[in-house]
Amino acid sequence: MICRNFKEKLPDLLLEPESAPDELLSHVESCAECDRELRELRATMGALDAWEAPEVSPWFDARMAAMLRREQQAPPAGWLERTRARLRFGEKLSLRPLAAAALITIMAVGGGVYAGFASRPTPVPAQSSSQVIRDLQSLDENAVVFQQLNQLDGQSSGNSSNAGNSGNSSSL
């Protein structure tokens, strides 16, 4: 037997036992779980029948009227406070289209930014000739180093051909 179909009808059996179908009554008598659930429902309804509402304080009306006056005299809330209250206490269904639009906007902007990065050409690594040019430019800027290199160059060429030339090249 499928208890799920009968459990949906248990409140009807509890509230109007005369109008309950015989099939439901026979199922509850044969199924221990459904019988237990029906007894629990009866106990809950009995507890609710025995409950009494507490007495209202004699100053309740006066305090409520004072609070209402205070709220009416208060300045209207700003848009941030109204938005916060709507998000906290408002109906969530009305925010779904707004949230969907915000998500679509974020995805579109993010996709556009990503596409901009993806379509950007990759930088070409520096070639060795540009490095040589930078080295030569730094040597031109530093005259002392350049003179020392000339002296070394003159000494090395003087060793191979003439030792006297190294003195002339050092005076440059």
Side-chain angles (χ1 to χ4, degrees), residues 6-134:
F6 292 107
K7 283 185 181 183
E8 292 174 358
K9 298 177 184 177
L10 284 179
D12 296 335
L13 178 63
L14 179 68
L15 298 175
E16 298 176 10
E18 303 86 26
S19 64
D22 293 334
E23 184 181 76
L24 178 62
L25 292 172
S26 63
H27 175 76
V28 169
E29 290 172 0
S30 64
C31 180
E33 187 179 338
C34 289
D35 185 44
R36 180 185 54 81
E37 189 162 343
L38 182 62
R39 281 187 276 123
E40 288 176 359
L41 281 172
R42 283 184 181 146
T44 303
M45 293 301 284
L48 287 174
D49 287 340
W51 181 74
E52 291 182 18
E55 287 294 320
V56 178
S57 169
W59 295 281
F60 176 78
D61 290 333
R63 280 193 243 151
M64 181 62 82
M67 288 173 62
L68 286 173
R69 274 194 306 274
R70 203 174 328 134
E71 281 296 318
Q72 287 173 346
Q73 293 171 355
W79 68 270
L80 182 62
E81 186 61 33
R82 287 192 313 264
T83 304
R84 188 180 307 152
R86 181 177 290 156
L87 289 174
R88 190 179 305 153
F89 305 116
E91 191 175 310
K92 301 292 188 232
L93 296 177
S94 64
L95 295 177
R96 285 185 182 165
L98 180 64
L103 182 62
I104 289 171
T105 304
I106 289 170
M107 289 176 61
V109 169
V113 168
Y114 178 75
F117 284 133
S119 66
R120 184 177 295 164
T122 57
V124 178
Q127 297 176 353
S128 60
S129 63
S130 64
Q131 184 64 34
V132 170
I133 292 172
R134 276 190 245 125

